[in-house]
Amino acid sequence: MLRSPILWKLFATYVALGAVCLVGAGYATNRILVDSARREVEHGLIERARALAPTLERDVIGDSPDLEARVRDLARTIGDRITVIRADGTVIAESDRDLFEVGNHSNRPEFIAAMRGTPDTAMRHSATVGRDLLYAAVPIGAAIPPLAVLRLALPLEIVSSNAAHIRDVLLWAGSLGLLAAVVLGFVVARRLTRPLAEMTEVARRYTVGDLASRVRASSRDEIGELGRALDLMGEELERKIQTVERDREETRALLSAMIEGVIAVDGDERIILVNAAAREIFPLGGTPPEGRSLTDAIRNEPVLRAVTATLRERRSHAFEVTLLDGSGRVLEAQATPIGGARGGCVVVFHDISRLRRLEDVRRDFVANVSHELRTPLTSVMGYVETLLAGGMVDGETSRTFLRKIASNAERLHALITDLLSLSRLESQAEPYRLAPVRVNAVVEKSLGSFRDRIAAKSMTLEVLGERDDVLALADEGGLRQVVDNLLDNAIKYTPDGGRITVEIGGDERNVTLAVKDTGVGIPAPDLPRIFERFYRVDRARSRELGGTGLGLAIVKHVVQALHGTIEVASEPGRGSRFVVTLPRASGASLPSNLPATQP
Ligand code: ADP
């Protein structure tokens, strides 16, 4: 505060103004007082001369020889030097003998005035006494011109000493006045500049982000107004910044919630923003990417090329990026200009890897389906052609051919049925309406349809676990399809004399259904793939056994649609175990029309 230049400027102005006023006033007062003192002395001298003149009139008229002595007496009494000058200018009496001037006085101005009847004064340097003297001359007698003139003389020092005294007093008063001006000037300047200093401090705090500071000025003058305006500005600024911050938070939350990667750059290709999804696509290291050059942060040619082109041409560019990080991910991207002519651009990345994979799967599926359908169809056509070309001559051969045709037609039928099942499952988001289903009943029904095949292969069948009603939240038709496929595979891939075990169990929340066989088993590398469509461990064997390669794919789809899971454990040569887990239904919701458990 004390270093405030404006304080010192105001203070210096006050002091200078005070000093100028004091000097001016002092000078004028000095002049007035000195002039009046001199006039008083002059007036006194004339008055004294006027009083003396009549007392000398007789001596002058009579040309008395005592004139000289009288003059000296009077001079001693009044203390002034007295000179009597005749009308012709000759000095006829002089109180101070040593100064007796013989010369003619007729040219002295005070003498000339007195000779005209007007008492007058004059100031002159006296060569006789070597000092400045004040003279006052009055006519002696009433006649004009008078007979003689009486002149009194007074050393001028008396006047000067009066003046010096006045000057001293004024100097003292001036000095005190100046001191008062200095003190008052400082106090007033400080009072005026303190609110300004406070405002400067508040404004400085605003610049460093402390927007809660307030001046709280109480004065009603312009400075108070300025303080209140500054407070209002602070409040407004605080409110605006809060709004901007909130908007920014919302945008940030929005961007980080997006599954699309977003990168924004400015006109110089410096990164403004990278959202979480984009960070996951392009690892940017530990340092915050904001402010870094895009070329340094992302070493991906297509991205850099598209950004440069977008900034240069100010139009959107759509492009595709394949990541070279080993993941093989494919991204569809679009760079769009933002801001004005010198603005930047925003690039949005959309991961289309899954889409691409699905396209590949679909393509493979179509190829597989065509191939699977073509094989039995080609056989059918071959047999039919052979028969038409004369093969029907031999009845036994014809029968063999017809059986082959029938078996291939059956295969085609099985394939198409499975494909339709799959397509139905895939085309509906919720293909089943879930309700409590008696798992034991479904298993019993399914086993009933396989009993002949089991008996034909001399297999042992065992049903273990909870024999009572176990309720799963499922769909009866779907569950039947699952059990049928698992039992069909167990029978197909287990040699004659093997054992099949069906086990029903679970806990409070889930129901488990396990189908176990002592068959050929599945090698470990094939295990993760057996649920894929058309995947078969041994293609020839599957085909020979009438398999379509779609059974387990259908099982997996159905189980997923029933909100369950399926797991498999297998050991080649020893057998396999498929376990289906489904949510358990609460007994209270058991409908009365459920199929009864078979004994
Ligand atoms: P498929 O019609 O060929 O049986 P699936 O989809 O039902 O087709 O089964 C796919 C493949 O998984 C089968 O070809 C077979 O190699 C293998 N597999 C399925 N179940 C068993 C099992 N119980 N024992 C051995 N291998 C099995």
Side-chain angles (χ1 to χ4, degrees):
M1 164 78 186
L2 285 179
R3 272 176 299 162
S4 152
I6 192 159
L7 168 79
W8 295 121
K9 272 184 204 159
L10 267 176
F11 173 63
T13 311
Y14 279 131
V15 172
L17 262 176
V20 167
C21 290
L22 279 171
V23 169
Y27 178 76
T29 314
N30 185 46
R31 280 296 302 271
I32 291 165
L33 289 179
V34 168
D35 283 356
S36 107
R38 207 188 69 194
R39 269 198 303 279
E40 214 168 286
V41 171
E42 284 172 354
H43 183 70
L45 205 61
I46 288 177
E47 284 309 306
R48 285 204 295 282
R50 268 205 182 118
L52 284 180
T55 60
L56 295 173
E57 193 175 352
R58 239 171 356 114
D59 292 319
V60 170
I61 295 169
D63 210 1
S64 163
D66 298 334
L67 183 65
E68 185 82 23
R70 285 232 345 125
V71 162
R72 246 179 260 154
D73 270 357
L74 284 170
R76 231 175 305 163
T77 313
I78 62 167
D80 299 321
R81 178 183 154 201
I82 304 173
T83 311
V84 181
I85 308 158
R86 228 195 351 241
D88 60 1
T90 339
V91 176
I92 51 172
E94 170 63 63
S95 61
D96 201 340
R97 260 259 137 231
D98 303 338
L99 300 174
F100 196 92
E101 291 169 85
V102 189
N104 194 294
H105 279 52
S106 56
N107 61 344
R108 306 287 200 273
E110 71 276 10
F111 172 79
I112 296 167
M115 283 303 290
R116 281 198 211 111
T118 323
D120 197 14
T121 59
M123 231 179 299
R124 228 175 14 258
H125 184 78
S126 163
T128 329
V129 290
R131 319 156 73 174
D132 290 334
L133 292 174
L134 178 68
Y135 298 99
V138 293
I140 297 174
I144 293 175
L147 278 175
V149 167
L150 168 70
R151 193 183 75 174
L152 298 186
L154 190 73
L156 216 61
E157 279 98 272
I158 293 175
V159 178
S160 317
S161 78
N162 272 354
H165 179 66
I166 290 167
R167 206 167 40 241
D168 285 352
V169 171
L170 282 176
L171 263 177
W172 272 107
S175 303
L176 280 175
L178 198 65
L179 192 71
V182 166
V183 174
L184 265 173
F186 185 76
V187 171
V188 172
R190 225 182 117 124
R191 259 184 77 160
L192 276 175
T193 53
R194 180 179 290 157
L196 286 176
E198 279 170 10
M199 279 181 239
T200 312
E201 175 59 21
V202 167
R204 195 193 57 74
R205 290 212 194 126
Y206 287 171
T207 62
V208 295
D210 175 12
L211 294 174
S213 284
R214 296 287 176 268
V215 179
R216 296 189 212 293
S218 53
S219 62
R220 304 244 134 252
D221 55 12
E222 287 86 343
I223 292 181
E225 279 296 312
L226 184 63
R228 280 186 285 282
L230 200 68
D231 284 356
L232 263 178
M233 193 181 84
E235 275 167 33
E236 192 59 23
L237 217 61
E238 205 175 8
R239 213 172 14 248
K240 287 227 165 92
I241 286 184
Q242 273 169 2
T243 313
V244 169
E245 288 279 333
R246 204 174 41 238
D247 287 356
R248 209 164 58 181
E249 276 310 310
E250 278 171 13
T251 312
R252 200 172 290 159
L254 210 79
L255 282 168
S256 47
M258 276 174 75
I259 49 164
E260 282 88 5
V262 178
I263 297 178
V265 296
D266 64 13
D268 299 321
E269 294 193 18
R270 296 209 164 270
I271 296 176
I272 304 170
L273 177 148
V274 178
N275 77 343
R279 271 169 220 257
E280 199 266 316
I281 298 168
F282 303 103
L284 298 162
T287 48
E290 285 77 12
R292 278 170 67 189
S293 144
L294 188 71
T295 328
D296 290 347
I298 293 168
R299 299 182 189 281
N300 189 299
E301 243 341 280
V303 177
L304 299 176
R305 257 204 319 271
V307 166
T308 310
T310 305
L311 290 177
R312 193 181 50 236
E313 296 163 23
R314 305 301 305 160
R315 63 178 184 84
S316 296
H317 281 78
F319 59 103
E320 223 175 79
V321 189
T322 305
L323 295 185
L324 305 171
D325 56 2
S327 66
R329 274 192 291 177
V330 184
L331 310 169
E332 199 175 64
Q334 167 122 344
T336 312
I338 50 168
R342 287 286 309 135
C345 83
V346 60
V347 194
V348 181
F349 298 91
H350 186 64
D351 193 338
I352 53 162
S353 312
R354 213 173 87 85
L355 217 68
R356 279 289 152 85
R357 253 195 316 275
L358 284 177
E359 272 171 21
D360 291 348
V361 168
R362 187 153 297 145
R363 206 170 21 248
D364 288 355
F365 179 69
V366 171
N368 276 328
V369 169
S370 315
H371 178 74
E372 292 292 334
L373 289 176
R374 195 187 298 129
T375 316
L377 207 60
T378 313
S379 300
V380 169
M381 281 161 69
Y383 291 126
V384 169
E385 267 172 35
T386 317
L387 285 174
L388 287 175
M392 283 175 64
V393 182
D394 180 0
E396 191 49 39
T397 316
S398 302
R399 259 193 298 281
T400 311
F401 278 17
L402 285 173
R403 268 198 297 274
K404 298 248 187 213
I405 290 172
S407 125
N408 276 302
E410 224 170 82
R411 209 169 119 64
L412 278 173
H413 180 258
L415 257 170
I416 290 166
T417 309
D418 280 357
L419 280 172
L420 279 175
S421 284
L422 263 179
S423 131
R424 223 182 5 251
L425 280 167
E426 277 183 345
S427 60
Q428 284 166 281
E430 288 287 341
Y432 299 120
R433 197 179 294 145
L434 303 183
V437 174
R438 291 182 209 277
V439 180
N440 312 56
V442 175
V443 170
E444 287 299 334
K445 266 191 199 166
S446 179
L447 282 173
S449 66
F450 286 106
R451 266 187 219 287
D452 291 349
R453 277 175 66 193
I454 294 170
K457 287 183 82 174
S458 320
M459 294 170 117
T460 320
L461 173 70
E462 212 175 353
V463 180
L464 298 174
E466 299 177 37
R467 300 286 307 170
D468 297 335
D469 287 343
V470 174
L471 293 177
L473 190 65
D475 172 86
E476 194 183 336
L479 185 59
R480 175 72 192 268
Q481 213 171 357
V482 170
V483 181
D484 281 356
N485 268 299
L486 293 179
L487 281 174
D488 178 52
N489 280 348
I491 296 165
K492 264 193 309 194
Y493 300 107
T494 304
D496 291 3
R499 171 188 290 268
I500 294 175
T501 314
V502 179
E503 199 178 340
I504 299 164
D507 53 27
E508 282 168 16
R509 302 181 63 191
N510 295 310
V511 175
T512 55
L513 169 70
V515 178
K516 191 178 160 229
D517 62 58
T518 54
V520 294
I522 305 159
D526 296 300
L527 271 181
R529 300 198 60 189
I530 55 167
F531 294 100
E532 288 175 18
R533 291 158 195 186
F534 299 116
Y535 190 83
R536 284 169 277 207
V537 177
D538 185 337
R539 197 166 279 269
R541 192 206 297 245
S542 159
R543 216 166 269 161
E544 192 188 309
L545 297 169
T548 58
L550 293 173
L552 286 182
I554 293 173
V555 166
K556 186 159 187 192
H557 259 87
V558 174
V559 170
Q560 276 174 351
L562 296 176
H563 306 298
T565 56
I566 180 159
E567 282 163 30
V568 58
S570 183
E571 211 178 311
R574 302 201 55 176
S576 312
R577 184 168 187 261
F578 288 84
V579 184
V580 175
T581 307
L582 293 172
R584 191 183 278 272
S586 58
S589 58
L590 179 68
S592 55
N593 59 349
L594 278 180
T597 313
Q598 284 189 357

